[in-house]
Amino acid sequence: RTLAMRDSVLRATRPGTASVLCTHKWVARQILAEALGQIEDHGAQIPVPTASISVLDFPDGTWPLDLTAALEERGAFFHQERSTPLVRAVGFKPDDFSKSGLIR
């Protein structure tokens, strides 16, 4: 359910804009685990403190997997390469986040 909801939000997000998901830390861990390629334990070891902020960027080519383009480009859709989203911050507390330089 978590990744399906993330996908739903990303589908509704226009290119060049941002969306915010406010979640419990276990949900945030699962989304981060998928982005970091740590899916074995669903992110149980990813440090996501309560009331923290994590930032993911999904540039072109990271989401969604465009099956139509794959068919046109390669003639088959099962070998489409997908790079991972950019993980900009994991588990920053708001005061740490402003000091990080990610927000001016």
Side-chain angles (χ1 to χ4, degrees):
R1 293 187 321 198
T2 297
L3 298 178
M5 180 53 71
R6 178 218 46 205
D7 291 348
S8 175
V9 169
L10 287 173
R11 270 192 297 281
T13 304
R14 294 179 183 204
T17 66
S19 292
V20 174
L21 294 175
C22 183
T23 71
H24 292 284
K25 66 181 171 181
W26 286 103
V27 173
R29 283 180 175 153
Q30 185 174 13
I31 292 169
L32 288 164
E34 199 264 347
L36 293 167
Q38 299 177 5
I39 57 174
E40 299 81 28
D41 65 356
H42 302 285
Q45 304 304 315
I46 297 173
V48 179
T50 300
S52 66
I53 299 169
S54 298
V55 179
L56 297 174
D57 280 341
F58 290 85
D60 289 342
T62 60
W63 191 97
L65 180 60
D66 187 344
L67 297 180
T68 303
L71 284 169
E72 291 172 359
E73 185 177 314
R74 301 181 185 190
F77 58 92
F78 50 85
H79 288 103
Q80 171 86 14
E81 295 286 327
R82 180 180 76 91
S83 57
T84 58
L86 302 173
V87 179
R88 303 283 189 191
V90 175
F92 274 92
K93 294 295 227 168
D95 53 329
D96 294 336
F97 197 72
S98 63
K99 294 174 194 173
S100 72
L102 291 171
I103 292 181
R104 293 179 207 128

